[in-house]
Amino acid sequence: MKKLFLYAFLSFAISSYCQTAEDYFKSGLSKLRLEDHEGAIVEFTKAIQLKPNYVYAYSNRGVAKKDLKDYQGAIEDFTKAIEYDPNFNPVYFNRADAKYNLNDLEGAIADYTIAIKLKPSDAESYYNRGVIYLELNDFPAAIADYNKSLELEPNNDFVYLQRGYAKNEIKDYEGAIQDYSKAIEFNDGNLEAYFFRASAKSDLNNYVGSIEDYNLLIKLSPNDSFAFHNRGVAKSFLNDFEGALADYTKAIELDSELADAYMARALAKIELKQFDGLCADLLKASENDIEKANTLIEQYCK
């Protein structure tokens, strides 16, 4: 029995010793697919120990680290992979994402730019770079990247949404509305598209159209306090203060901390000469540093 056990042990030891870098790499991929990121890192590390220039092992270990939010460690692995293969597009893409998560926006843009140069058909790299330009308030650059992304993948509702937002920021409200409408065309459940389209319509003084969009949004998302509040604002511009009052009240029911709704409801009550609860609304608005509330408190609550 002892000899059998010893033979079995030696066989196992020899088998383990003979595992190749590729074996460890494949094992790492299997663990990565199962979201065992720690286990994947162990296997990729073993592969790298046997094959120090193993680009795919560095790249995938970087992905595992990124998934664990070890962004600095991920960047180090992606950089090592680039040292061995400077033309490997996915590594630049992943390193850009890691840099973005560390708020290195310029570094992320640089990596997405290289990724695009290596793979000009990569719609996602254009989109992601556009997102960063948007965060940096470089709206023309963001729009240009979204344009390119949509040329490559014309049915992406989220890119239309983002491009609409960028157009809105440069006060191209008509263009923004067209993009939000396109987003809804491809995904009629895109709640943000309804919300922003309604807002853009209000910016164009199209309050009837704005209310129509808020109606659609509320039907899809009946607990959206901001939709009720903003619909109330649009109704106020149409002098429908009764309707506005009802919407502000509903917004407050859904979010008791929505200070703007208290202020707006107070103003609607003043228009309607309904003073019940007016001072309570103004005090709530005042607690949230809405300056106009203090002036009205002096006028109505002393």
Side-chain angles (χ1 to χ4, degrees):
M1 290 293 292
K2 285 185 178 180
K3 288 182 180 178
L4 277 173
F5 178 80
L6 180 62
Y7 175 77
F9 176 78
L10 286 173
S11 296
F12 175 77
I14 292 168
S15 173
S16 297
Y17 181 77
C18 290
Q19 279 192 286
T20 66
E22 284 70 25
D23 292 329
Y24 287 120
F25 176 73
K26 289 176 184 175
S27 176
L29 284 181
S30 297
K31 291 180 185 294
L32 192 58
R33 291 190 190 102
L34 294 171
E35 298 187 4
D36 177 8
H37 301 105
E38 296 282 4
I41 289 168
V42 169
E43 296 301 296
F44 292 136
T45 300
K46 290 176 181 176
I48 290 166
Q49 287 170 345
L50 292 175
K51 187 177 178 181
N53 64 345
Y54 204 159
V55 172
Y56 298 128
Y58 281 111
S59 176
N60 282 280
R61 189 173 71 174
V63 170
K65 289 179 179 179
K66 183 161 70 77
D67 287 342
L68 290 172
K69 302 190 188 310
D70 176 13
Y71 300 118
Q72 191 57 54
I75 289 169
E76 290 169 5
D77 275 348
F78 295 140
T79 301
K80 199 69 178 175
I82 288 167
E83 286 180 18
Y84 291 117
D85 185 354
N87 296 315
F88 188 32
N89 161 273
V91 184
Y92 291 101
F93 181 93
N94 283 315
R95 190 172 71 172
D97 185 51
K99 287 180 178 180
Y100 175 78
N101 280 285
L102 289 177
N103 205 37
D104 178 9
L105 302 185
E106 295 294 346
I109 286 174
D111 276 347
Y112 281 128
T113 300
I114 297 172
I116 288 166
K117 184 178 179 180
L118 292 171
K119 188 180 178 183
S121 62
D122 186 0
E124 193 171 0
S125 286
Y126 282 108
Y127 169 74
N128 287 356
R129 191 174 67 175
V131 168
I132 299 173
Y133 281 132
L134 192 63
E135 288 193 24
L136 292 171
N137 296 326
D138 187 347
F139 304 117
I143 290 168
D145 272 351
Y146 294 142
N147 290 345
K148 191 64 181 179
S149 182
L150 287 168
E151 283 178 25
L152 295 164
E153 290 185 4
N155 299 339
N156 192 321
D157 66 295
F158 205 71
V159 183
Y160 281 109
L161 176 72
Q162 293 291 306
R163 191 174 69 176
Y165 184 76
K167 289 179 179 179
N168 199 85
E169 289 297 301
I170 60 173
K171 303 190 186 309
D172 177 11
Y173 302 123
E174 291 286 2
I177 288 168
Q178 289 173 10
D179 276 348
Y180 298 140
S181 297
K182 204 71 176 173
I184 292 166
E185 179 185 326
F186 289 116
N187 178 10
D188 61 6
N190 191 321
L191 302 181
E192 289 181 281
Y194 290 106
F195 185 92
F196 288 124
R197 188 172 70 175
S199 178
K201 288 178 179 179
S202 287
D203 288 327
L204 289 173
N205 300 325
N206 178 10
Y207 301 113
V208 172
S210 179
I211 289 168
E212 289 172 353
D213 272 343
Y214 286 127
N215 290 343
L216 292 170
L217 176 57
I218 288 167
K219 186 176 180 180
L220 291 168
S221 181
N223 295 322
D224 189 332
S225 60
F226 289 103
F228 280 102
H229 171 269
N230 287 8
R231 189 175 70 175
V233 172
K235 288 178 178 179
S236 292
F237 277 110
L238 294 174
N239 295 322
D240 177 12
F241 297 110
E242 288 283 1
L245 184 63
D247 276 348
Y248 298 141
T249 298
K250 184 63 178 179
I252 290 166
E253 286 177 11
L254 293 168
D255 182 359
S256 61
E257 298 303 314
L258 191 55
D260 287 343
Y262 288 101
M263 187 69 229
R265 187 168 71 172
L267 293 172
K269 287 178 178 178
I270 290 170
E271 290 288 343
L272 293 166
K273 295 182 169 43
Q274 295 181 13
F275 301 114
D276 185 37
L278 171 63
C279 292
D281 282 348
L282 290 171
L283 285 170
K284 190 71 175 179
S286 176
E287 288 171 6
N288 287 276
D289 299 321
I290 297 178
E291 189 173 339
K292 188 175 181 179
N294 294 322
T295 302
L296 293 175
I297 287 171
E298 289 290 329
Q299 183 175 350
Y300 289 98
C301 305
K302 294 296 184 181

